[in-house]
Amino acid sequence: MSEWLLEADDLSMRFGGLLAVDQVALKVRPGEIVSIIGPNGAGKTTVFNCLTGFYKPTGGVVQFKGKAIHQLPGFKISRLGLVRTFQNVRLFKSMTVLENLLVAQHRHLNTNLLSGLFKTPAFRRSERKALEQSEYWLDKVGLSEFANREAGNLAYGQQRRLEIARCMVTRPELLMLDEPAAGLNPNETAELNELISDLRDHHNVSVLLIEHDMKLVMEISDRIYVINQGRPLASGVPDRVRSHPEVIKAYLGES
Ligand SMILES: Nc1ncnc2c1ncn2[C@@H]1O[C@H](COP(=O)(O)OP(=O)(O)OP(=O)(O)O)[C@@H](O)[C@H]1O
């Protein structure tokens, strides 16, 4: 069995004449927090889209838990335990906070038409478990008191936390976060740092994130991949990446 949870090799994505991702390699071990950084338009989100089945990569191989996933649709990949958030919050805004978490667990519910119709004991048990799981994660992300509020009425930082809870109720092994700190104030970003570390330390989840907040990236990451103009530029532990001359030139030097 491979030591890697996620392993992408030679990953490429072409849009017509634009090679947005060009032979990117990327790996995540169980229990790691790994970041992808790079300037705007470097191809980071496109890499995420290729890893999660939103795009079929035009080249390369992606393996999750040793299984090739680069030809699978997104819903099958998420069932294997690889889930993501998006750069722009994507919640069911007119549903309540709690309903957002219950809907996310529909595949864990013991549902077929008859069991749902007759509310069999097995159906009721799985409904109760989904509720307990939702309550646990609402508490964890500090949203218990907002359980019955419409998700669209939450403050922006709270919506971001709800998105993470919505991923966690599905019990993923790899959580992928696309710019989770975007739009957060420094206090909220510090809380996010704690939350992500806690997920890794106590909930058996590995984390792959795209992030522009360098303080967060340097503090939280075990390893970092730098992408520039679609191509891999550098990778390694934060200290190595921070002092890499090409990285300073391409990215850190800009800010
Ligand atoms: N569906 C698409 N069709 C055509 N071009 C695309 C598509 N998606 C992304 N691109 C292009 O691919 C390149 C990489 O974009 P991508 O969004 O992956 O960059 P990024 O590193 O995530 O940027 P940012 O940090 O600004 O979010 C850009 O030139 C973008 O315009």
Side-chain angles (χ1 to χ4, degrees):
M1 184 73 182
S2 162
E3 69 171 299
W4 304 103
L5 181 64
L6 179 77
E7 199 171 357
D9 279 309
D10 272 343
L11 193 66
S12 299
M13 184 73 209
R14 179 179 285 285
F15 300 111
L18 174 74
L19 194 51
V21 174
D22 186 5
Q23 297 187 303
V24 167
L26 186 152
K27 297 179 186 199
V28 181
R29 281 192 195 89
E32 272 193 314
I33 298 177
V34 175
S35 296
I36 305 177
I37 64 169
N40 289 325
K44 304 179 296 296
T45 296
T46 305
V47 168
F48 255 40
N49 286 335
C50 291
L51 297 176
T52 51
F54 283 79
Y55 294 153
K56 281 212 166 60
T58 46
V61 177
V62 183
Q63 290 190 306
F64 181 62
K65 296 191 282 184
K67 180 181 163 68
I69 59 167
H70 50 278
Q71 295 297 330
L72 295 183
F75 77 93
K76 287 203 170 153
I77 295 176
S78 66
R79 281 182 186 173
L80 291 173
L82 190 167
V83 300
R84 70 175 291 186
T85 64
F86 293 85
Q87 211 164 327
N88 305 311
V89 173
R90 288 196 192 181
L91 293 165
F92 296 114
K93 298 215 165 157
S94 57
M95 284 187 183
T96 67
V97 166
L98 179 60
E99 284 165 349
N100 267 274
L101 298 190
L102 291 174
V103 164
Q105 294 175 82
H106 69 94
R107 109 185 150 79
H108 293 285
L109 277 180
N110 185 357
T111 44
N112 61 44
L113 186 61
L114 288 180
S115 65
L117 211 56
F118 294 110
K119 301 244 184 235
T120 60
F123 180 81
R124 285 178 192 278
R125 256 196 316 277
S126 53
E127 254 190 342
R128 204 164 46 240
K129 269 181 87 178
L131 196 58
E132 280 167 15
Q133 177 85 341
S134 303
E135 284 166 353
Y136 176 85
W137 282 104
L138 283 183
D139 181 46
K140 199 89 196 146
V141 301
L143 293 175
S144 296
E145 61 185 295
F146 304 108
N148 295 317
R149 187 171 290 189
E150 270 189 25
N153 289 337
L154 292 180
Y156 184 73
Q158 294 171 330
Q159 293 194 19
R160 285 253 167 219
R161 292 208 299 279
L162 178 56
E163 278 203 307
I164 294 179
R166 190 174 61 171
C167 289
M168 290 308 300
V169 294
T170 70
R171 307 181 185 97
E173 286 175 66
L174 179 62
L175 175 65
M176 293 179 39
L177 305 172
D178 194 347
E179 296 195 30
L184 301 189
N185 66 36
N187 283 342
E188 290 171 324
T189 305
E191 282 170 16
L192 177 71
N193 185 334
E194 272 178 36
L195 176 62
I196 295 174
S197 304
D198 180 61
L199 296 182
R200 187 269 297 276
D201 293 343
H202 299 115
H203 296 281
N204 286 331
V205 71
S206 309
V207 182
L208 178 64
L209 65 149
I210 296 174
E211 191 45 69
H212 284 289
D213 183 320
M214 280 308 120
K215 183 171 178 298
L216 176 64
V217 167
M218 293 299 164
E219 280 174 10
I220 207 172
S221 309
D222 295 308
R223 293 184 301 112
I224 299 170
Y225 288 91
V226 190
I227 299 178
N228 190 31
Q229 297 180 347
R231 297 186 60 86
L233 185 71
S235 64
V237 297
D239 277 347
R240 176 183 145 90
V241 166
R242 191 190 273 126
S243 56
H244 194 294
E246 287 298 315
V247 177
I248 294 168
K249 194 165 130 203
Y251 188 48
L252 300 177
E254 287 181 354
S255 55

